[in-house]
Amino acid sequence: MPIARERRVFLSHTAELRQFPRERSFVAAAERAVALAGDRVIDMAYFGAQDADPADFCVRTVRSSDVYLGLIGFRYGSLVAGRPEISYTELEFDTATQAGIPRLVFLLDYLAEVPFGEFVDENHAERQKQFRSRLRDSGIITADFRGAGDLETAVLDALVKLRESQRRMVGVSGAVQATADGAAGIARAGGQHRPWMLPGHRDDVVPRPALTSVVLAEVLASAAGRGAVRGPVVLYGTGGMGKTTLTREVCRQPEIAATFGGGLLWVTIGETSDGARLADRINDLSEALCGVRPTLSDPEQAGFHLGTLLGDESRLLVVDDVWNPAQLQPFLQGGAGTVRLVTTRLRDLVPRARMIEISAMLPEEAMTLLLRDLGAQAPEAAGRLLGVTGRWPVLLRLVNRALVRHVRDGMSVPRAAERVLRRMHRRGPTGLDVSRAAQRGGRGDPGSQPRPADRALPGTLSGARGLSRGRRDPAPGARRLLGGHGRSRPGRGRRSLPGAGRSLAGRLLPAVPAGAAAPRRAAHLPAGAGRAGAPARVRRPALRRPA
C-alpha cells in the first residue's frame, strides 16, 4: 500500500459521539486529528441517499479505505437491515478485519463525564459489552479516552506512528504523483512532503464573506511579495470573535491551494504551551514535512530546524491561538517562501506584520447565527437581542442555544426571544448561565458537568470589573476563556464603548464619573459593536528611516 499519499481514514462511530460533548464532540476531535496527520476522513454520515443496499455500500466504502478508525462508546448502534444479529458499527470493524486494513480502536472510558441518557443503550447493552470485550481481545492495541482533547492527541499520535511503521516496512523513495485534489502527505524528491493540515469543516459555520475576502487578499499579497513589509498576517481580536473559524474558512478557498504548492501547515499553540511542549508542537510540523520526527526539546532549536525544512517553497503556515511573542518567535525562522497566518488576542504581538482586527459580526451574519436551528422568521425581539449581545459571536451562540432549548420545550420562537431578552436585561449575560445541572446536560441528567461556555460568563464579569478598577490585565477566568488582547500600550485604545455594545458594557462596567477619562475598551468586549457594516481594519507597520 502506498503510504506517502493522503490516506483515507474510515471513521466508525455511533451518532451520540458526534453530538457530545456539546462544545466539541468526540467525532470532531478525531476528525481534527486526522486532518493534522495529513489524511482524509471517510464517514458514512457524509454520504447522502444512495441507490444501493446500505450494508453493501458500507462494506465497499470500508474496503476502499486505507485505515479503520473506530470510536466505540456504550451504544451498539443501528442494526443492519435483514441481519438483526449485527450492527453497522460491528459490521464495519469486521469488514476492516477481513480486508486486512490497519485498525485503530479507541474505547470511551466508563469514567468519562457524558450525559447518561444519551450514552446508555437500554436495548442492546449486553451486546455492546460483548463487542467491546471482543475488541480488547482481538489482538490489536486499543486505547481508552475520557475527553475530546485526550482523544485528539491519541488519534494523532496513532496515525503518525502508523505512517512511520508503514514507511519502515515498505520504504519510500523518489516522488509520488500528486492526487487530483491536491491532497495531503504527497511525497516529494529528497524526502519532502506536501502536507495539507487543514482541520475538518464544521457544519455550523456562519459565513463571513467580507472578512474572508480581506484576509484572503492579505495572504495572497504576502505570497506575491507585494507590500512594503514581508511579515506575518496577524488576525487579532477578543476571544470568541471567531478568528480560528475565519482562518479555517480562508484556508478552504481554492486560491490557497493554487498559490501554496508547498502545502499547508497548521499548529495550535494555546496559553500553556512553552518550553518542551512548544518544541513538541514544532516537531509535529517538521515530521509532517520530512517524515522523520526530531527529538529537539528547545523551541528555538526546533524552530531553526523547521525553518530549514520549509526551504524556499511557497507554503502557508497557520499558527493558531498565540498568547505571547515568545511562542511565535520560533515559527518565524527560515522559510523564505512561507507565509505565516497567525491568530492571537494581542494587538501588538509582533512589530512587522499585517494586522487585521476581527471584531463583531455584521448584522445579517449575527442574525443567521442567532436563529440557527430554529427554522423561523426573525421575531420582533431579535433586533434587540443583537443589540444586547453587541453581535459578539460567543454571546450569540449562548443566546441561540437558550432559544433552541426553550423552543424544544414547546415554546414559540417569539415568546422564547422575549423571555431570553428579559433575562438578559434583568441579569445581564449571566442570565444565560444555566445553573441547574440537569439543564446543563440538556437531557435532564443530574451527573452532567458545566460546559466551558457556562463557566465563561462569570469570568467575563470578573474581568470587566477588574479593568474598570484599573487592572492592566483581565481576571484569570476572563483571560483564559474569553480574555482579551492582553497588554495595552499607554495612551492607546482610549475610547468610549459605542452603539449597541454599550448595552452589554453597561451591565459589565460601572459608570465613568463625569470629567474622568473613559476606560480603555475592555479587551473582552466586542470591538466596534454597534457599527453596522464596519469594515475590518488592516494596520500595516510604518517603515522607520535609519538614523
Side-chain angles (χ1 to χ4, degrees):
M1 178 182 64
I3 61 168
R5 61 173 175 82
E6 170 193 59
R7 295 172 297 185
R8 293 163 52 91
V9 179
F10 185 90
L11 183 55
S12 177
H13 62 88
T14 45
E16 78 283 358
L17 297 176
R18 180 173 287 281
Q19 300 168 3
F20 296 94
R22 293 191 184 277
E23 59 271 17
R24 185 172 69 134
S25 71
F26 293 121
V27 171
E31 289 176 335
R32 175 174 168 80
V34 172
L36 290 174
D39 299 319
R40 180 156 62 99
V41 169
I42 304 298
D43 190 332
M44 294 300 294
Y46 296 149
F47 293 96
Q50 300 287 331
D51 187 18
D53 179 74
D56 290 342
F57 181 74
C58 177
V59 168
R60 291 199 305 271
T61 304
V62 174
R63 287 184 177 276
S64 67
S65 302
D66 301 311
V67 180
Y68 166 90
L69 174 58
L71 308 184
I72 310 300
F74 308 130
R75 300 184 71 88
Y76 189 56
S78 301
L79 301 181
V80 176
R83 299 179 59 184
E85 74 280 0
I86 192 171
S87 68
Y88 278 99
T89 306
E90 190 165 8
L91 173 66
E92 291 160 357
F93 175 78
D94 289 346
T95 301
T97 302
Q98 295 165 6
I101 298 172
R103 294 159 295 164
L104 306 176
V105 175
F106 297 86
L107 302 171
L108 183 62
D109 194 285
Y110 284 107
L111 298 180
E113 296 180 355
V114 293
F116 183 82
E118 295 288 344
F119 279 74
V120 170
D121 193 332
E122 296 180 354
N123 297 321
H124 305 293
E126 186 60 32
R127 294 173 69 173
Q128 180 65 359
K129 182 179 179 180
Q130 293 173 1
F131 179 41
R132 288 171 62 98
S133 298
R134 178 185 163 210
L135 292 172
R136 293 189 186 278
D137 299 337
S138 62
I140 62 175
I141 298 177
T142 62
D144 294 347
F145 66 95
R146 297 185 185 181
D150 297 337
L151 177 62
E152 178 182 332
T153 301
V155 170
L156 177 59
D157 182 67
L159 288 171
V160 169
K161 289 179 178 177
L162 174 62
R163 185 183 291 277
E164 184 60 31
S165 66
Q166 292 171 327
R167 183 177 290 111
R168 287 196 301 267
M169 290 175 61
V170 302
V172 176
S173 60
V176 177
Q177 182 177 1
T179 57
D181 59 354
I186 301 170
R188 293 176 176 261
Q192 289 287 317
H193 289 67
R194 181 188 186 268
W196 201 259
M197 300 169 65
L198 179 61
H201 180 65
R202 291 176 49 180
D203 57 6
D204 62 346
V205 172
V206 174
R208 304 176 73 174
L211 266 178
T212 300
S213 298
V214 169
V215 177
L216 179 62
E218 288 296 323
V219 171
L220 297 179
S222 183
R226 298 193 299 269
V229 177
R230 289 294 303 273
V233 178
V234 178
L235 311 186
Y236 74 95
T238 303
M241 279 296 176
K243 299 181 292 296
T244 299
T245 300
L246 177 65
T247 301
R248 185 166 54 239
E249 291 305 299
V250 168
C251 292
R252 293 179 64 84
Q253 302 305 307
E255 296 90 337
I256 295 295
T259 301
F260 297 101
L264 166 67
L265 297 164
W266 185 299
V267 60
T268 300
I269 304 302
E271 184 178 9
T272 60
S273 290
D274 56 12
R277 182 178 299 180
L278 179 60
D280 198 49
R281 302 286 174 88
I282 302 171
N283 291 337
D284 289 341
L285 302 182
S286 297
E287 183 177 18
L289 281 171
C290 70
V292 178
R293 185 172 187 82
T295 58
L296 301 169
S297 59
D298 178 79
E300 287 301 317
Q301 295 178 0
F304 179 82
H305 180 67
L306 173 63
T308 302
L309 294 176
L310 289 172
D312 296 329
E313 282 198 77
S314 179
R315 309 182 196 271
L316 179 60
L317 170 57
V318 177
V319 188
D320 183 37
D321 196 24
V322 177
W323 283 75
N324 61 68
Q327 291 177 329
L328 178 63
Q329 189 58 41
F331 297 96
L332 302 181
Q333 303 185 59
T338 299
V339 175
R340 280 83 171 175
L341 179 56
V342 182
T343 71
T344 183
R345 306 181 185 200
L346 300 174
R347 69 181 68 192
D348 53 357
L349 178 69
V350 60
R352 298 173 65 85
R354 303 179 182 212
M355 306 293 294
I356 303 177
E357 182 180 13
I358 308 302
S359 56
M361 303 183 87
L362 297 177
E364 58 271 20
E365 298 166 351
M367 187 66 74
T368 301
L369 179 53
L370 182 70
L371 301 179
R372 182 166 57 90
D373 296 337
L374 291 175
Q377 296 292 325
E380 187 275 334
R384 287 177 285 155
L385 281 172
L386 291 189
V388 170
T389 59
R391 306 195 307 276
W392 191 11
V394 68
L395 280 178
L396 285 167
R397 289 185 185 277
L398 288 174
V399 171
N400 170 259
R401 292 300 93 191
L403 292 174
V404 170
R405 283 197 303 270
H406 290 319
V407 171
R408 286 177 178 172
D409 289 341
M411 194 177 295
S412 67
V413 174
R415 184 182 173 194
E418 291 290 347
R419 180 169 182 175
V420 171
L421 186 61
R422 287 196 303 270
R423 187 180 301 169
M424 292 281 287
H425 280 309
R426 187 169 60 250
R427 298 170 54 191
T430 52
L432 300 175
D433 187 19
V434 182
S435 58
R436 296 201 306 272
Q439 287 181 296
R440 282 196 184 104
R443 295 286 181 180
D445 45 298
S448 297
Q449 297 298 316
R451 298 190 297 272
D454 296 324
R455 299 190 296 265
L457 291 168
T460 305
L461 288 170
S462 175
R465 295 189 184 108
L467 287 173
S468 68
R469 297 188 186 112
R471 283 188 198 159
R472 194 171 183 81
D473 294 313
R479 185 176 67 248
R480 181 172 60 254
L481 293 170
L482 298 172
H485 309 308
R487 299 179 300 277
S488 297
R489 285 177 283 183
R492 300 194 59 175
R494 291 182 178 269
R495 62 179 68 184
S496 59
L497 291 161
R502 188 68 184 173
S503 59
L504 171 61
R507 296 202 169 271
L508 298 180
L509 300 175
V512 178
R520 293 183 178 91
R521 183 173 60 210
H524 51 278
L525 294 177
R531 294 180 294 164
R537 291 181 291 179
V538 180
R539 178 163 60 88
R540 291 184 174 87
L543 293 177
R544 295 184 179 180
R545 181 175 301 173

